[in-house]
Amino acid sequence: VQLVESGGGLVQAGGSLRLSCAASGFTFDDYSIGWFRQAPGKEREGITCISSRDGSKYYEESLKDRFAISTDNAENTVYLQMNSLKPEDTAVYYCAADPYEMCHTVGWGMHQYEYWGQGAQVTVSS
């Protein structure tokens, strides 16, 4: 089982990045996929999730206007489009797969995610 993030890097404030999460080794369509991030010295936090049941999307309220999740089921890949990036978006970004068909809308349910990627570093310079 693998989740591999790519597309991270260094970007100036106001710029955009698109992260990819390529999944293999499990039935992609049966898993809800979430994106999370962890900044230095801070706890991991939820960004967004897309449910396997109906493709509904859930966002952290403070990020929903700048970040967007999408999927390419034919390629078993999930994307995170990040726009208008700010220095405080600097973090390691992770994708994760949850066997539950719906996104957890209370507390993100991070402990229920079964598979995690290795993370992609995103650095936003001011």
Side-chain angles (χ1 to χ4, degrees):
V1 173
Q2 275 194 314
L3 289 171
V4 180
E5 300 97 337
S6 60
L10 175 64
V11 63
Q12 287 189 331
S16 298
L17 280 176
R18 189 178 77 159
L19 301 182
S20 300
C21 171
S24 61
F26 63 97
T27 306
F28 182 77
D29 292 349
D30 290 344
Y31 283 71
S32 297
I33 304 296
W35 282 98
F36 303 85
R37 69 183 184 183
Q38 188 166 17
K42 294 188 177 182
E43 294 186 353
R44 191 168 298 188
E45 61 178 355
I47 300 169
T48 182
C49 169
I50 185 164
S51 78
S52 62
R53 176 180 172 182
D54 57 7
S56 57
K57 302 171 184 178
Y58 176 70
Y59 290 93
E60 172 62 34
E61 186 69 21
S62 63
L63 298 174
K64 66 178 184 177
D65 292 335
R66 299 189 293 120
F67 289 19
I69 189 171
S70 61
T71 61
D72 182 340
N73 286 355
E75 297 294 330
N76 286 0
T77 299
V78 179
Y79 302 99
L80 180 66
Q81 178 67 42
M82 305 184 291
N83 300 323
S84 303
L85 284 163
K86 305 174 182 180
E88 51 263 44
D89 294 318
T90 294
V92 178
Y93 285 70
Y94 300 89
C95 62
D98 182 359
Y100 187 57
E101 63 180 0
M102 297 296 291
C103 295
H104 304 278
T105 57
V106 177
W108 288 99
M110 273 183 262
H111 63 285
Q112 300 192 46
Y113 281 78
E114 189 170 343
Y115 307 124
W116 289 81
Q118 83 289 351
Q121 176 69 48
V122 172
T123 302
V124 184
S125 63
S126 57

